[in-house]
Amino acid sequence: MTISRQAGAGGHSLADAILEAFAAQDDRDLFGGWKVFDQRLCEIVAEDPRYAPSIGTMQAEEYRSRTDEFFRQMMGTQLHQDVVMNRVFRVVRALATLGKAVIVGRAGSQVTKGMPYRVALRLVAPEHHRLHRLMEIHDLNERAARDLMKKRDTHRARLLKTNFQVDVAEPTNYDATWNTATVSYDDIAAAVVVLIRQRVDGATRVG
């Protein structure tokens, strides 16, 4: 399962709600043992000393333009961001293959495309809602929160456009898009439980 989100739409909050909803289910074979991978993905990659110096960029989900990256490479010693991101993509794919992984960000919707049982979600919300949430979470003033929101959305969109030639906002890239300003995380998580059951039951009947 993957969660793509606009900055401030609450991807991590939804991931936590999904784990809680799964824990309440009786079917432990299907709903037991799920884990969330967001910052943990970066930690897995950074376990390789070649990628460790780039951990800060990965955690911040920064993905620079090709021009910016060219000049950064001229001035520094870190690995090229595409080398690092390709490693992240391989880890995402491996985790998804093992199953029972909720992957937040890191182009998960595209990396896992075509995999059986894949569920790809997209979270959106009005700008004012996301702005207020970022101000609260990060203890920022409005201007700083707006800058952070713009930066994150820009980098996430660039990551998908550059590596997968897709528009992050295109709804057909996802199984469902939710407005977290009008639908609670618990309600979305409950819907995910139903979707997971239907997807697995459908595959079983076909098989």
Side-chain angles (χ1 to χ4, degrees):
M1 176 184 304
T2 67
I3 300 175
S4 170
R5 74 282 192 221
Q6 291 182 315
H12 298 91
S13 295
L14 176 61
D16 291 341
I18 286 173
L19 289 193
E20 289 183 11
F22 284 5
Q25 305 306 308
D26 294 331
D27 187 349
R28 304 316 300 155
D29 288 339
L30 180 57
F31 292 106
W34 286 73
K35 296 183 183 300
V36 173
F37 293 92
D38 39 34
Q39 301 302 331
R40 178 58 184 148
L41 274 172
C42 301
E43 294 168 8
I44 291 172
V45 173
E47 289 173 1
D48 186 324
R50 293 173 298 173
Y51 301 96
S54 302
I55 186 65
T57 298
M58 287 188 291
Q59 288 177 326
E61 292 189 90
E62 294 180 1
Y63 192 78
R64 292 170 289 273
S65 69
R66 292 291 168 82
T67 301
D68 289 344
E69 181 64 7
F70 172 77
F71 286 110
R72 193 187 73 94
Q73 288 294 306
M74 291 181 64
M75 301 297 294
T77 58
Q78 293 186 14
L79 289 173
H80 192 284
Q81 65 179 354
D82 287 344
V83 174
V84 177
M85 289 313 305
N86 284 335
R87 172 63 174 169
V88 172
F89 297 156
R90 289 196 297 272
V91 172
V92 168
R93 185 82 181 184
L95 290 171
T97 299
L98 291 173
K100 296 191 173 183
V102 179
I103 298 166
V104 181
R106 277 71 188 183
S109 62
Q110 292 302 309
V111 176
T112 61
K113 194 171 183 177
M115 297 184 70
Y117 310 121
R118 165 188 176 267
V119 173
L121 307 177
R122 172 76 172 163
L123 302 185
V124 300
E127 183 175 300
H128 67 85
H129 177 88
R130 297 187 290 122
L131 184 63
H132 178 76
R133 195 167 188 276
L134 289 173
M135 291 171 62
E136 187 176 75
I137 292 173
H138 298 288
D139 192 24
L140 299 173
N141 60 36
E142 182 175 345
R143 180 175 180 178
R146 191 178 300 278
D147 288 345
L148 177 62
M149 182 170 63
K150 181 178 179 180
K151 177 182 177 181
R152 287 185 172 178
D153 284 342
T154 297
H155 282 284
R156 290 168 184 173
R158 182 182 293 141
L159 176 66
L160 266 69
K161 178 64 73 174
T162 302
N163 291 276
F164 302 97
Q165 295 73 55
V166 298
D167 181 355
V168 68
E170 170 54 49
T172 58
N173 289 327
Y174 312 98
D175 296 298
T177 298
W178 296 92
N179 181 351
T180 58
T182 59
V183 185
S184 72
Y185 301 119
D186 289 341
D187 286 346
I188 298 172
V192 169
V193 169
V194 175
L195 180 58
I196 292 288
R197 288 189 188 278
Q198 290 178 338
R199 189 146 295 182
V200 172
D201 289 347
T204 301
R205 286 195 296 272
V206 172

